[in-house]
Structure formats: structure tokens, C-alpha cells
Amino acid sequence: MPIVLALAACATVTAPEKTKASARIQSDVMDVIHVLETASGPSCDERKLVKTEVVQRATAVDYSAVERWTIDRCGKLVQYLVTFKPGANGGVDFSVRPER
């Protein structure tokens, strides 16, 4: 239950720049990032989205787009790659992974 409460706290986060995702998708992405951050190890109550940038735009050949989302984790910048693609039934599917 605590995870659900923690995720709800991230629901109103809006990316500060450049993302092409809607406010609803941004919230969903931040929910996933929050889960990944919680599992990352060191406890830190100071996590915040500080930057987004388009890494790869969608094309007619590959409808996937990739963005880099940068999180400030207690003063340490951590980056995630977020891949967006059209959903099979409309909407948008996405995946999130730490950038290495």
C-alpha cells in the first residue's frame, strides 16, 4: 500500500521541457520511474524531474520515439530512456529503462 501512496504523489508532475507526451502519459511515465527509483537502492526523498529531451523522433519507417528523462536524485542526475510507440488499440504504449 505505501507504494500506491507514493505513486499518487507523482501523478501531478509535468515535465519541464521538450517532451512530446501528453500530461496523462507524463504522469504514467513518472509513476514507472518512481518505481524504478524506489528499487534503485539508496533511500532519497529528494527525487525530481529536471529535464526531458527528444533523442529520436518517430519516423514513417519506425513509429517509435525515444526521450531522455533526467531525474535529480538527492543531487545526483540519473537518466532514463523512455520509448513511445502507437498502441495497438489507439493511444500510446511506452517503456522506461535506465540509461547506461
Side-chain angles (χ1 to χ4, degrees), residues 3-100:
I3 291 176
V4 174
L5 295 174
L7 292 177
C10 292
T12 60
V13 172
T14 301
E17 66 180 29
K18 299 195 183 197
T19 184
K20 302 299 183 191
S22 69
R24 175 66 188 155
I25 298 298
Q26 290 175 45
S27 175
D28 292 346
V29 169
M30 284 305 299
D31 287 349
V32 172
I33 288 174
H34 182 76
V35 170
L36 293 170
E37 280 290 296
T38 302
S40 69
S43 63
C44 171
D45 294 332
E46 300 287 326
R47 291 180 172 104
K48 151 176 113 163
L49 178 65
V50 294
K51 184 178 180 182
T52 64
E53 58 189 308
V54 175
V55 175
Q56 173 187 321
R57 298 192 187 291
T59 66
V61 174
D62 178 8
Y63 296 106
S64 296
V66 180
E67 295 181 357
R68 177 179 296 113
W69 290 38
T70 303
I71 305 296
D72 180 335
R73 180 196 298 155
C74 291
K76 179 181 177 188
L77 297 181
V78 180
Q79 296 175 326
Y80 290 89
L81 292 177
V82 183
T83 302
F84 299 96
K85 65 180 182 175
N89 296 321
V92 176
D93 292 337
F94 68 88
S95 63
V96 180
R97 65 180 172 86
E99 185 171 30
R100 309 243 180 229

